[in-house]
PDB file of all heavy atoms in Angstrom:
ATOM      1  N   ILE A 199     -60.280 -30.790 164.903  1.00 90.00           N
ATOM      2  CA  ILE A 199     -59.132 -29.967 164.556  1.00 90.00           C
ATOM      3  C   ILE A 199     -58.902 -29.964 163.042  1.00 90.00           C
ATOM      4  O   ILE A 199     -58.570 -28.923 162.450  1.00 90.00           O
ATOM      5  CB  ILE A 199     -57.862 -30.455 165.291  1.00 90.00           C
ATOM      6  CG1 ILE A 199     -57.966 -30.154 166.792  1.00 90.00           C
ATOM      7  CG2 ILE A 199     -56.610 -29.802 164.715  1.00 90.00           C
ATOM      8  CD1 ILE A 199     -57.954 -28.680 167.117  1.00 90.00           C
ATOM      9  N   SER A 200     -59.097 -31.112 162.396  1.00 91.00           N
ATOM     10  CA  SER A 200     -58.928 -31.180 160.932  1.00 91.00           C
ATOM     11  C   SER A 200     -59.906 -30.244 160.231  1.00 91.00           C
ATOM     12  O   SER A 200     -59.565 -29.585 159.243  1.00 91.00           O
ATOM     13  CB  SER A 200     -59.140 -32.613 160.449  1.00 91.00           C
ATOM     14  OG  SER A 200     -58.129 -33.468 160.937  1.00 91.00           O
ATOM     15  N   PHE A 201     -61.128 -30.200 160.747  1.00 92.00           N
ATOM     16  CA  PHE A 201     -62.132 -29.281 160.183  1.00 92.00           C
ATOM     17  C   PHE A 201     -61.690 -27.837 160.356  1.00 92.00           C
ATOM     18  O   PHE A 201     -61.764 -27.031 159.415  1.00 92.00           O
ATOM     19  CB  PHE A 201     -63.469 -29.510 160.886  1.00 92.00           C
ATOM     20  CG  PHE A 201     -64.481 -28.435 160.645  1.00 92.00           C
ATOM     21  CD1 PHE A 201     -65.201 -28.381 159.462  1.00 92.00           C
ATOM     22  CD2 PHE A 201     -64.719 -27.456 161.609  1.00 92.00           C
ATOM     23  CE1 PHE A 201     -66.140 -27.382 159.243  1.00 92.00           C
ATOM     24  CE2 PHE A 201     -65.653 -26.466 161.400  1.00 92.00           C
ATOM     25  CZ  PHE A 201     -66.363 -26.419 160.211  1.00 92.00           C
ATOM     26  N   TYR A 202     -61.203 -27.498 161.547  1.00 90.00           N
ATOM     27  CA  TYR A 202     -60.786 -26.123 161.799  1.00 90.00           C
ATOM     28  C   TYR A 202     -59.560 -25.734 160.981  1.00 90.00           C
ATOM     29  O   TYR A 202     -59.395 -24.565 160.605  1.00 90.00           O
ATOM     30  CB  TYR A 202     -60.516 -25.916 163.291  1.00 90.00           C
ATOM     31  CG  TYR A 202     -61.770 -25.742 164.104  1.00 90.00           C
ATOM     32  CD1 TYR A 202     -62.126 -26.677 165.068  1.00 90.00           C
ATOM     33  CD2 TYR A 202     -62.614 -24.655 163.902  1.00 90.00           C
ATOM     34  CE1 TYR A 202     -63.288 -26.525 165.818  1.00 90.00           C
ATOM     35  CE2 TYR A 202     -63.769 -24.497 164.641  1.00 90.00           C
ATOM     36  CZ  TYR A 202     -64.102 -25.437 165.591  1.00 90.00           C
ATOM     37  OH  TYR A 202     -65.253 -25.283 166.318  1.00 90.00           O
ATOM     38  N   MET A 203     -58.683 -26.677 160.703  1.00 91.00           N
ATOM     39  CA  MET A 203     -57.488 -26.375 159.907  1.00 91.00           C
ATOM     40  C   MET A 203     -57.855 -25.817 158.537  1.00 91.00           C
ATOM     41  O   MET A 203     -57.351 -24.781 158.115  1.00 91.00           O
ATOM     42  CB  MET A 203     -56.624 -27.627 159.761  1.00 91.00           C
ATOM     43  CG  MET A 203     -55.812 -27.994 160.991  1.00 91.00           C
ATOM     44  SD  MET A 203     -55.085 -29.645 160.861  1.00 91.00           S
ATOM     45  CE  MET A 203     -54.133 -29.483 159.347  1.00 91.00           C
ATOM     46  N   VAL A 204     -58.751 -26.512 157.857  1.00 93.00           N
ATOM     47  CA  VAL A 204     -59.118 -26.064 156.510  1.00 93.00           C
ATOM     48  C   VAL A 204     -59.979 -24.810 156.570  1.00 93.00           C
ATOM     49  O   VAL A 204     -59.856 -23.913 155.715  1.00 93.00           O
ATOM     50  CB  VAL A 204     -59.824 -27.203 155.734  1.00 93.00           C
ATOM     51  CG1 VAL A 204     -61.194 -27.503 156.300  1.00 93.00           C
ATOM     52  CG2 VAL A 204     -59.923 -26.858 154.254  1.00 93.00           C
ATOM     53  N   GLU A 205     -60.838 -24.695 157.590  1.00 92.00           N
ATOM     54  CA  GLU A 205     -61.681 -23.510 157.692  1.00 92.00           C
ATOM     55  C   GLU A 205     -60.859 -22.264 158.047  1.00 92.00           C
ATOM     56  O   GLU A 205     -61.149 -21.165 157.560  1.00 92.00           O
ATOM     57  CB  GLU A 205     -62.777 -23.730 158.733  1.00 92.00           C
ATOM     58  CG  GLU A 205     -63.840 -24.716 158.307  1.00 92.00           C
ATOM     59  CD  GLU A 205     -64.550 -24.295 157.025  1.00 92.00           C
ATOM     60  OE1 GLU A 205     -64.728 -23.074 156.813  1.00 92.00           O
ATOM     61  OE2 GLU A 205     -64.922 -25.180 156.241  1.00 92.00           O
ATOM     62  N   VAL A 206     -59.843 -22.433 158.868  1.00 91.00           N
ATOM     63  CA  VAL A 206     -58.937 -21.318 159.177  1.00 91.00           C
ATOM     64  C   VAL A 206     -58.213 -20.883 157.914  1.00 91.00           C
ATOM     65  O   VAL A 206     -58.091 -19.680 157.630  1.00 91.00           O
ATOM     66  CB  VAL A 206     -57.937 -21.730 160.279  1.00 91.00           C
ATOM     67  CG1 VAL A 206     -56.734 -20.793 160.277  1.00 91.00           C
ATOM     68  CG2 VAL A 206     -58.609 -21.715 161.638  1.00 91.00           C
ATOM     69  N   ALA A 207     -57.719 -21.868 157.146  1.00 92.00           N
ATOM     70  CA  ALA A 207     -57.007 -21.540 155.902  1.00 92.00           C
ATOM     71  C   ALA A 207     -57.926 -20.796 154.927  1.00 92.00           C
ATOM     72  O   ALA A 207     -57.506 -19.833 154.273  1.00 92.00           O
ATOM     73  CB  ALA A 207     -56.473 -22.814 155.255  1.00 92.00           C
ATOM     74  N   LYS A 208     -59.178 -21.206 154.844  1.00 94.00           N
ATOM     75  CA  LYS A 208     -60.125 -20.547 153.945  1.00 94.00           C
ATOM     76  C   LYS A 208     -60.412 -19.115 154.393  1.00 94.00           C
ATOM     77  O   LYS A 208     -60.420 -18.178 153.578  1.00 94.00           O
ATOM     78  CB  LYS A 208     -61.426 -21.358 153.876  1.00 94.00           C
ATOM     79  CG  LYS A 208     -61.284 -22.652 153.092  1.00 94.00           C
ATOM     80  CD  LYS A 208     -62.365 -23.671 153.427  1.00 94.00           C
ATOM     81  CE  LYS A 208     -63.747 -23.209 153.073  1.00 94.00           C
ATOM     82  NZ  LYS A 208     -64.764 -24.266 153.309  1.00 94.00           N
ATOM     83  N   PHE A 209     -60.632 -18.945 155.686  1.00 93.00           N
ATOM     84  CA  PHE A 209     -60.943 -17.608 156.191  1.00 93.00           C
ATOM     85  C   PHE A 209     -59.750 -16.660 156.054  1.00 93.00           C
ATOM     86  O   PHE A 209     -59.904 -15.510 155.638  1.00 93.00           O
ATOM     87  CB  PHE A 209     -61.372 -17.699 157.659  1.00 93.00           C
ATOM     88  CG  PHE A 209     -61.739 -16.378 158.266  1.00 93.00           C
ATOM     89  CD1 PHE A 209     -62.760 -15.614 157.731  1.00 93.00           C
ATOM     90  CD2 PHE A 209     -61.059 -15.889 159.372  1.00 93.00           C
ATOM     91  CE1 PHE A 209     -63.115 -14.384 158.285  1.00 93.00           C
ATOM     92  CE2 PHE A 209     -61.400 -14.659 159.937  1.00 93.00           C
ATOM     93  CZ  PHE A 209     -62.420 -13.910 159.393  1.00 93.00           C
ATOM     94  N   VAL A 210     -58.559 -17.149 156.404  1.00 92.00           N
ATOM     95  CA  VAL A 210     -57.361 -16.316 156.276  1.00 92.00           C
ATOM     96  C   VAL A 210     -57.132 -15.947 154.817  1.00 92.00           C
ATOM     97  O   VAL A 210     -56.791 -14.801 154.494  1.00 92.00           O
ATOM     98  CB  VAL A 210     -56.139 -17.053 156.861  1.00 92.00           C
ATOM     99  CG1 VAL A 210     -54.848 -16.302 156.531  1.00 92.00           C
ATOM    100  CG2 VAL A 210     -56.271 -17.206 158.372  1.00 92.00           C
ATOM    101  N   THR A 211     -57.326 -16.894 153.912  1.00 94.00           N
ATOM    102  CA  THR A 211     -57.180 -16.618 152.477  1.00 94.00           C
ATOM    103  C   THR A 211     -58.174 -15.566 152.024  1.00 94.00           C
ATOM    104  O   THR A 211     -57.832 -14.646 151.261  1.00 94.00           O
ATOM    105  CB  THR A 211     -57.382 -17.912 151.665  1.00 94.00           C
ATOM    106  OG1 THR A 211     -56.426 -18.889 152.082  1.00 94.00           O
ATOM    107  CG2 THR A 211     -57.204 -17.650 150.171  1.00 94.00           C
ATOM    108  N   TRP A 212     -59.413 -15.694 152.500  1.00 94.00           N
ATOM    109  CA  TRP A 212     -60.480 -14.756 152.117  1.00 94.00           C
ATOM    110  C   TRP A 212     -60.127 -13.321 152.509  1.00 94.00           C
ATOM    111  O   TRP A 212     -60.434 -12.378 151.780  1.00 94.00           O
ATOM    112  CB  TRP A 212     -61.785 -15.181 152.789  1.00 94.00           C
ATOM    113  CG  TRP A 212     -63.004 -14.460 152.333  1.00 94.00           C
ATOM    114  CD1 TRP A 212     -63.778 -14.747 151.248  1.00 94.00           C
ATOM    115  CD2 TRP A 212     -63.591 -13.301 152.937  1.00 94.00           C
ATOM    116  NE1 TRP A 212     -64.819 -13.854 151.148  1.00 94.00           N
ATOM    117  CE2 TRP A 212     -64.725 -12.950 152.174  1.00 94.00           C
ATOM    118  CE3 TRP A 212     -63.272 -12.532 154.052  1.00 94.00           C
ATOM    119  CZ2 TRP A 212     -65.537 -11.865 152.484  1.00 94.00           C
ATOM    120  CZ3 TRP A 212     -64.082 -11.452 154.362  1.00 94.00           C
ATOM    121  CH2 TRP A 212     -65.191 -11.130 153.591  1.00 94.00           C
ATOM    122  N   VAL A 213     -59.466 -13.163 153.637  1.00 92.00           N
ATOM    123  CA  VAL A 213     -59.124 -11.824 154.115  1.00 92.00           C
ATOM    124  C   VAL A 213     -57.804 -11.322 153.532  1.00 92.00           C
ATOM    125  O   VAL A 213     -57.704 -10.175 153.086  1.00 92.00           O
ATOM    126  CB  VAL A 213     -59.035 -11.811 155.660  1.00 92.00           C
ATOM    127  CG1 VAL A 213     -58.521 -10.460 156.161  1.00 92.00           C
ATOM    128  CG2 VAL A 213     -60.393 -12.108 156.275  1.00 92.00           C
ATOM    129  N   ILE A 214     -56.788 -12.180 153.515  1.00 92.00           N
ATOM    130  CA  ILE A 214     -55.426 -11.733 153.244  1.00 92.00           C
ATOM    131  C   ILE A 214     -55.158 -11.467 151.765  1.00 92.00           C
ATOM    132  O   ILE A 214     -54.435 -10.510 151.425  1.00 92.00           O
ATOM    133  CB  ILE A 214     -54.412 -12.752 153.790  1.00 92.00           C
ATOM    134  CG1 ILE A 214     -54.431 -12.716 155.317  1.00 92.00           C
ATOM    135  CG2 ILE A 214     -53.009 -12.478 153.275  1.00 92.00           C
ATOM    136  CD1 ILE A 214     -54.004 -11.388 155.905  1.00 92.00           C
TER     137      ILE A 214
END
Side-chain angles (χ1 to χ4, degrees):
I199 290 293
S200 294
F201 166 78
Y202 282 115
M203 284 169 57
V204 69
E205 289 301 326
V206 161
K208 288 159 63 175
F209 181 59
V210 171
T211 301
W212 189 85
V213 173
I214 290 297

